[in-house]
Amino acid sequence: MRDRQIKLTQGIDWPIMGLYLALVVIGLMSIFAAEYREGDNVWYNVMHQSTNYARQLLWFGVSLVLATIIWLTDSKFFTATANILYAFGLLLLLLVLAIGTDVKGSHSWLVIGGFRFQPAEFTKLCTNLALAKYLSSLETDFNKLRSRLIAASFALIPAVIIIFQDETGLALVYFSFFLVMYREGLPGALLVIAFSGIILVLSALLVDKNILFIIFSVLAALVIYFNRREIKRSRGRLVLILGIWAFCSLFVMFIVPFAFTKVLKDYQVRRIEVMLGKENDPKATYNTRQSMIAIGSGGFFGKGYLKGTQTRFDFVPEQSTDFIFCTIGEDFGFLGSLIFLGIFVALLLRIIFIAERQRSTFSRVYAYGVASVIFFHLAINIAMTIGLAPVIGIPLPLVSYGGSSLMTFTMMIFIMLRLDADRQMVLR
């Protein structure tokens, strides 16, 4: 019997297991702290599933069952079914557009047997597997533009569908897969272009477009003047300079305004403008202001577990989901928040360590995908709660309330653990 138990647990990475369980327990404690009121019958709430912490406990049990099934599954199953799962994930996303349910302004939920399920969460797992499958294929030459475009499409296709579900926050998460592609050889110049695009968007929002056009024109004229000798030898350089000038001008004068008037919702535009200081809308800033007050009121050591006033009196909306970090900040203070973030950093570093020790490209790419998605969620969620990013509804991995999110991250982590246990195999 003991030999059988040893065989079942052989190869499991216990540091990852410990960090995973620590974050889930912190999440359960935080959701409980956000909802518990003196006199509540906790046992009754758990038995009747009448609170978020009770439902999260149930989802944790379901997640552990899924984790066990994954751990007992042959690693080759994940390579064999990667593309099928990706197609299934896309089908679920399209199904949401047809028969989905609206929840808090987002048309991104399916109701199955009384339970709500968000396919956009599950499809992150499917996308990660499909991308790992493609990049590990012997036929894939990632140095070629065609292969890079195909790899990018794996992330962009679900992101576009999710945008049509009015779930912009989760759609942005899919761009984290470009970090994986960068690790696998995507040129750094593309990252420079991406950051330049961000700077252009910010410039278009903060500076008058006519002034920007003048600035771009002056810069283009100066570059042409100082490169006049090279331009005489090669007209291609002049075409390149003029092309960049034309693109930047059109981008800030037409593309950004079009996106902000025709693509983004009014509340999304307000949140971005508030973040940039262009608008002072109390309604748009209420959640963030209350979250910052809660975190600040915790001080260095915190008010103590179940003693947070902002939390206990429901000043912060969505404090069990998107703003769960403010509950941790108020109860445990700066020191507790620092330790909490340290657990996440340790998890990310351990995942990267696991990724780098893989023999199989499939396993390495998949592990980096897990790290990238968790990092993106963590960075955006924390920035959102302290006013450094607009509120776009991205949960804190393993901590925020949500069955779809908890199950998806659990499955992602345990598939990685299963692949790592078989790291001596070469999977494709």
Side-chain angles (χ1 to χ4, degrees):
M1 183 69 178
R2 185 175 179 181
D3 291 340
R4 187 178 179 182
Q5 289 177 341
I6 293 174
K7 187 175 181 181
L8 284 174
T9 58
Q10 186 176 7
I12 194 167
D13 190 88
W14 291 108
I16 289 288
M17 275 294 299
L19 293 166
Y20 163 80
L21 290 173
L23 288 170
V24 173
V25 170
I26 291 172
L28 287 168
M29 290 176 61
S30 301
I31 296 168
F32 181 80
E35 293 193 324
Y36 175 74
R37 302 295 178 265
E38 291 182 9
D40 285 358
N41 188 331
V42 177
W43 178 250
Y44 176 88
N45 291 337
V46 171
M47 292 302 295
H48 290 80
Q49 295 289 290
S50 56
T51 58
N52 285 339
Y53 62 78
R55 287 186 284 269
Q56 188 78 344
L57 189 61
L58 174 64
W59 287 122
F60 179 43
V62 174
S63 297
L64 289 180
V65 172
L66 291 172
T68 303
I69 294 172
I70 289 170
W71 181 251
L72 297 176
T73 303
D74 192 313
S75 295
K76 294 179 181 178
F77 172 81
F78 302 111
T79 59
T81 60
N83 291 332
I84 297 174
L85 286 172
Y86 181 70
F88 177 66
L90 293 181
L91 180 63
L92 286 177
L93 292 178
L94 293 172
L95 195 62
V96 169
L97 294 177
I99 61 171
T101 301
D102 288 343
V103 177
K104 297 178 182 179
S106 169
H107 188 79
S108 61
W109 297 83
L110 289 176
V111 178
I112 304 173
F115 291 99
R116 291 187 313 196
F117 171 66
Q118 195 171 29
E121 289 282 358
F122 174 70
T123 310
K124 291 183 296 190
L125 166 63
C126 303
T127 301
N128 197 15
L129 286 169
L131 183 62
K133 175 76 172 179
Y134 178 72
L135 293 179
S136 63
S137 172
L138 293 174
E139 289 76 26
T140 301
D141 183 358
F142 203 55
N143 292 318
K144 294 183 177 179
L145 177 62
R146 179 176 178 273
S147 297
R148 291 170 179 169
L149 291 175
I150 292 174
S153 69
F154 278 103
L156 294 177
I157 291 173
V160 170
I161 299 175
I162 293 168
I163 288 174
F164 282 107
Q165 298 174 0
D166 293 330
E167 193 62 73
T168 310
L170 279 179
L172 291 175
V173 172
Y174 285 77
F175 285 88
S176 64
F177 291 111
F178 283 89
L179 296 176
V180 183
M181 292 180 233
Y182 177 69
R183 165 61 182 83
E184 295 303 310
L186 197 67
L190 293 179
L191 290 181
V192 173
I193 293 173
F195 281 112
S196 299
I198 294 173
I199 293 172
L200 279 176
V201 171
L202 293 176
S203 300
L205 296 175
L206 295 173
V207 183
D208 182 80
K209 59 184 180 182
N210 294 319
I211 295 176
L212 283 176
F213 178 75
I214 295 172
I215 292 173
F216 292 152
S217 300
V218 171
L219 287 175
L222 290 173
V223 172
I224 291 172
Y225 175 77
F226 288 109
N227 287 270
R228 59 188 182 279
R229 294 181 180 177
E230 290 79 3
I231 290 173
K232 287 181 179 179
R233 300 191 195 100
S234 174
R235 293 292 179 182
R237 179 165 298 194
L238 176 62
V239 173
L240 177 63
I241 296 170
L242 292 176
I244 294 173
W245 167 79
F247 174 80
C248 292
S249 300
L250 291 172
F251 189 83
V252 300
M253 296 187 71
F254 299 104
I255 297 177
V256 172
F258 176 81
F260 272 72
T261 55
K262 301 296 183 181
V263 179
L264 297 177
K265 304 294 182 182
D266 290 339
Y267 72 91
Q268 293 171 330
V269 174
R270 284 198 303 273
R271 287 172 179 174
I272 294 173
E273 290 179 342
V274 166
M275 183 191 69
L276 296 174
K278 291 188 66 180
E279 183 178 337
N280 186 19
D281 184 352
K283 292 183 179 180
T285 61
Y286 179 80
N287 290 15
T288 303
R289 282 189 290 109
Q290 293 300 327
S291 174
M292 293 170 67
I293 291 171
I295 294 171
S297 68
F300 189 81
F301 293 106
K303 293 180 176 179
Y305 187 57
L306 299 180
K307 295 181 180 179
T309 53
Q310 297 295 116
T311 298
R312 290 176 65 79
F313 295 109
D314 297 320
F315 284 107
V316 185
E318 309 298 337
Q319 58 189 15
S320 294
T321 52
D322 298 342
F323 289 91
I324 192 71
F325 181 69
C326 73
T327 304
I328 298 171
E330 185 176 24
D331 284 1
F332 301 104
F334 175 78
L335 182 61
S337 299
L338 199 62
I339 295 172
F340 170 73
L341 292 176
I343 295 173
F344 259 115
V345 171
L347 177 66
L348 290 170
L349 291 176
R350 187 65 186 179
I351 293 174
I352 292 172
F353 172 79
I354 287 175
E356 289 297 334
R357 73 182 180 187
Q358 303 303 310
R359 290 184 59 194
S360 169
T361 301
F362 178 89
S363 301
R364 183 182 69 241
V365 172
Y366 179 83
Y368 267 105
V370 175
S372 297
V373 171
I374 291 176
F375 170 76
F376 195 94
H377 269 267
L378 174 66
I380 297 299
N381 181 274
I382 300 298
M384 198 172 66
T385 58
I386 60 177
L388 296 180
V391 179
I392 54 176
I394 291 183
L396 198 54
L398 305 173
V399 179
S400 292
Y401 167 73
S404 300
S405 177
L406 179 59
M407 287 192 298
T408 297
F409 280 110
T410 298
M411 293 170 68
M412 290 180 76
I413 289 172
F414 274 84
I415 289 174
M416 180 192 68
L417 290 176
R418 179 67 267 169
L419 296 174
D420 180 59
D422 294 328
R423 58 182 174 273
Q424 299 306 320
M425 299 169 56
V426 177
L427 302 170
R428 296 189 184 282

